[in-house]
Amino acid sequence: MAKIKTSYFCQNCGAQSAKWIGRCPACGEWNTYVEEVIQREEANTVAAWKPVSTSRQVASKPKPLSEISFEAESRIVTNDQELNRVLGGGIVPGSLILIGGEPGIGKSTLMLQIAMSLKNQRVLYVSGEESELQIKMRAERLGTNHNNCFILTETGTQNIFKQIEQLQPELLVVDSIQTLHSAFIESGAGSISQVRECTAELLKYAKESGTPVFLIGHITKEGNLAGPKILEHMVDTVLQFEGDRHMTYRILRTTKNRFGSTSELGIYEMQGSGLRQVNNPSEILISQREEHLSGISIGATLEGNRPLLIEVQSLVSPATYGTPQRSSTGYDAKRLNMLLAVLEKRGGFKLGTQDVFLNIAGGLKVEDPAIDLAVCASILSSFDDLAIPSTTCFAAEVGLSGEIRAVNRIENRISEAEKLGFKEIYISKFNVKGLDLKGRGIKIHTVSKLEEVLSGLFG
Ligand code: TYD
Ligand code: MG
């Protein structure tokens, strides 16, 4: 083992110590010291990644921006439209992409599926979590099989690079970064300094060889990517794979992207045979119902850049046990309470004695304020036991004084509703600027107060 200079750093305040200490004298936090490499002796160690001589190896010199050639078409376009969209139009060569998500959400499934779908690229799938047999079983489940996808069950970065040199893959997937370990660092796999070192080695490999690298990352109890925050700074793109484990929908979103927008969103459905791309999410988020039921309304929201029509369901019934209950799934509970107070104070509805249960169908979590009006409509529909026509939808925010407020990108919302066959939409009066109200297949109601919505809906 080569001699490496290490030191201990507090992960909370950054204080340094030559030996491990339980309590940081600088900030008082317990158990925050982690060993980190400060200098490694290059001479007698195996190089982390020794690229075959490439033109990229020439020491870089400043160049005028205008002279840098731009190969726009060099992105690898996968068969997965959702992934392409989220990455901003395909995988950029030499990019390092981190994908995080809860255990069991489907990260390995998604990556293996993508690895197998790339028929023209040699893909190396490195797994430190599952055996070859387990991966084979998963691949069988996914159905598609091809010969250009190689599996390596290995956790040492030096061995991985050795295999990479032989195989020369065109795409590398690492499942997961927390299982890797580098011989340069003594601490165990998954520790902060290991994660950082392994990522740095892979980053160097990606940039020097031009091979895109996907890293699967674990997340902590709080939902953040496990490992140092610096990990997110090192990579080019951070993708988050989320969804409710009991629901079949999965959402892939970007939280950072050096090569595209971060407001894109990919939607998948987990099926028995892997993840299916969902191209028209609104159709499945709105349940097919035959009869008119009270308490159901449709909100035209945006998830990222994508317009989505989402079903809001509520149940309002007299509270039988003391304090009325308020419960909401997929919608901020504080915001629900606020809207209930607005309905009580401004609309005169006696909701104070009622239990209110609210649910966003499909297991989605909605933060877009444009769903407010749909929430109010759904609550009142249940309270009065009057059904809202199933071809009516809503897109507006509700303010504290019961005013109907404008929302962004109203044009997209209306177009999506129209495309899905809705006949009427309620929007704010303040949203009509530059909007063509006539000549559409959908009737646009412009309102400024809650009462106008109610009289329009229930007469
Ligand atoms: P997995 O990819 O192992 O999750 P992660 O790598 O994020 O921990 O996903 C495992 C879950 O997906 C598991 O609960 C079973 C389910 N699954 C399906 O429903 N269909 C499938 O075809 C596959 C492969 C998995
Ligand atoms: Mg996994």
Side-chain angles (χ1 to χ4, degrees):
M1 184 77 209
K3 198 161 177 290
I4 302 162
K5 232 178 162 182
T6 63
S7 193
Y8 291 83
F9 290 91
C10 171
Q11 300 298 301
N12 189 46
C13 69
Q16 188 181 357
S17 159
K19 58 179 178 31
W20 189 85
I21 31 181
R23 184 167 190 249
C24 177
C27 66
E29 283 294 315
W30 286 94
N31 209 10
T32 53
Y33 273 78
V34 173
E35 183 189 25
E36 286 179 17
V37 169
I38 40 180
Q39 195 183 23
R40 76 159 74 111
E41 232 171 79
E42 297 280 355
N44 38 8
T45 57
V46 206
W49 160 245
K50 257 193 286 169
V52 205
S53 72
T54 58
S55 55
R56 289 165 198 266
Q57 270 307 83
V58 183
S60 47
K61 283 196 202 112
K63 249 193 215 173
L65 192 55
S66 55
E67 277 177 23
I68 298 173
S69 66
F70 177 57
E71 301 155 29
E73 289 315 307
S74 59
R75 286 186 187 233
I76 301 173
V77 180
T78 67
N79 294 340
D80 189 330
Q81 303 307 330
E82 305 294 302
L83 181 80
N84 292 342
R85 187 207 330 268
V86 168
L87 292 178
I91 307 168
V92 175
S95 61
L96 189 60
I97 301 157
L98 180 65
I99 164 164
E102 303 226 341
I105 205 78
K107 302 180 294 296
S108 307
T109 307
L110 178 70
M111 289 324 303
L112 188 63
Q113 210 168 325
I114 289 164
M116 293 201 305
S117 75
L118 288 169
K119 300 254 190 284
N120 302 324
Q121 268 88 12
R122 215 169 320 116
V123 184
L124 178 62
Y125 185 100
V126 178
S127 180
E129 306 216 325
E130 285 157 290
S131 69
E132 285 165 12
L133 202 67
Q134 282 172 312
I135 299 171
K136 178 69 185 169
M137 272 160 59
R138 188 193 299 263
E140 288 290 310
R141 254 180 110 174
L142 301 178
T144 51
N145 218 336
H146 85 115
N147 303 332
N148 254 348
C149 179
F150 294 82
I151 306 293
L152 174 67
T153 46
E154 174 61 68
T155 52
T157 52
Q158 275 71 30
N159 291 342
I160 294 173
F161 287 127
K162 234 179 263 166
Q163 298 301 331
I164 286 176
E165 238 169 293
Q166 277 183 12
L167 186 69
Q168 298 281 327
E170 289 154 278
L171 183 88
L172 177 69
V173 178
V174 175
D175 186 4
S176 64
I177 185 70
Q178 277 86 2
T179 58
L180 292 195
H181 70 87
S182 166
F184 296 126
I185 300 224
E186 296 247 4
S187 50
S191 67
I192 291 182
S193 36
Q194 274 291 6
V195 169
R196 183 199 292 189
E197 174 65 22
C198 294
T199 311
E201 288 176 14
L202 287 164
L203 178 70
K204 192 156 173 273
Y205 161 66
K207 298 297 164 201
E208 286 177 1
S209 67
T211 313
V213 177
F214 278 92
L215 302 177
I216 294 181
H218 294 171
I219 61 167
T220 61
K221 257 196 292 191
E222 293 81 40
N224 302 318
L225 275 154
K229 196 78 189 158
I230 194 167
L231 195 63
E232 285 168 59
H233 291 291
M234 283 161 88
V235 301
D236 297 306
T237 305
V238 180
L239 302 179
Q240 193 109 350
F241 203 37
E242 53 190 47
D244 192 350
R245 220 178 330 160
H246 305 291
M247 295 282 184
T248 56
Y249 305 107
R250 302 284 184 271
I251 295 179
L252 186 66
R253 84 174 72 243
T254 25
T255 53
K256 166 182 174 177
N257 193 357
R258 287 194 181 137
F259 313 112
S261 118
T262 52
S263 43
E264 290 295 356
L265 192 85
I267 300 183
Y268 295 89
E269 188 181 359
M270 182 61 98
Q271 294 182 333
S273 57
L275 290 155
R276 182 182 73 87
Q277 303 167 37
V278 177
N279 299 321
N280 188 358
S282 301
E283 272 175 14
I284 30 174
L285 293 175
I286 300 171
S287 64
Q288 275 80 38
R289 56 205 144 96
E290 294 187 352
E291 48 182 325
H292 289 203
L293 297 172
S294 66
I296 291 178
S297 70
I298 310 287
T301 69
L302 284 178
E303 265 289 341
N305 276 338
R306 260 176 124 169
L308 275 188
L309 277 101
I310 290 179
E311 182 175 310
V312 182
Q313 308 167 337
S314 46
L315 179 67
V316 179
S317 69
T320 34
Y321 309 103
T323 321
Q325 297 185 55
R326 270 91 177 81
S327 146
S328 92
T329 313
Y331 185 73
D332 184 24
K334 283 195 187 123
R335 192 137 187 108
L336 170 65
N337 282 332
M338 187 210 94
L339 291 179
L340 289 173
V342 169
L343 290 175
E344 177 117 25
K345 175 100 180 167
R346 308 286 170 195
F349 295 96
K350 294 275 163 269
L351 292 165
T353 55
Q354 309 279 326
D355 285 339
V356 179
F357 303 96
L358 186 81
N359 180 36
I360 305 289
L364 285 187
K365 287 190 184 61
V366 184
E367 283 167 8
D368 183 7
I371 201 158
D372 285 358
L373 189 56
V375 169
C376 290
S378 144
I379 290 169
L380 295 181
S381 157
S382 176
F383 183 58
D384 289 335
D385 205 12
L386 291 169
I388 298 170
S390 58
T391 51
T392 300
C393 62
F394 306 86
E397 186 182 340
V398 176
L400 279 179
S401 49
E403 81 275 20
I404 310 293
R405 304 171 64 109
V407 290
N408 62 352
R409 321 227 348 232
I410 192 73
E411 184 70 50
N412 292 24
R413 301 172 196 263
I414 297 175
S415 307
E416 179 74 5
E418 190 179 344
K419 209 164 75 193
L420 291 175
F422 282 84
K423 295 280 173 278
E424 294 177 48
I425 184 167
Y426 285 82
I427 66 166
S428 165
K429 186 172 91 176
F430 306 103
N431 242 160
V432 293
K433 215 156 105 196
L435 206 64
D436 177 20
L437 295 177
K438 299 263 156 19
R440 288 177 180 270
I442 186 165
K443 184 161 191 269
I444 300 172
H445 296 274
T446 56
V447 287
S448 61
K449 288 205 193 75
L450 263 179
E451 297 92 82
E452 297 169 39
V453 183
L454 297 181
S455 60
L457 276 180
F458 307 123

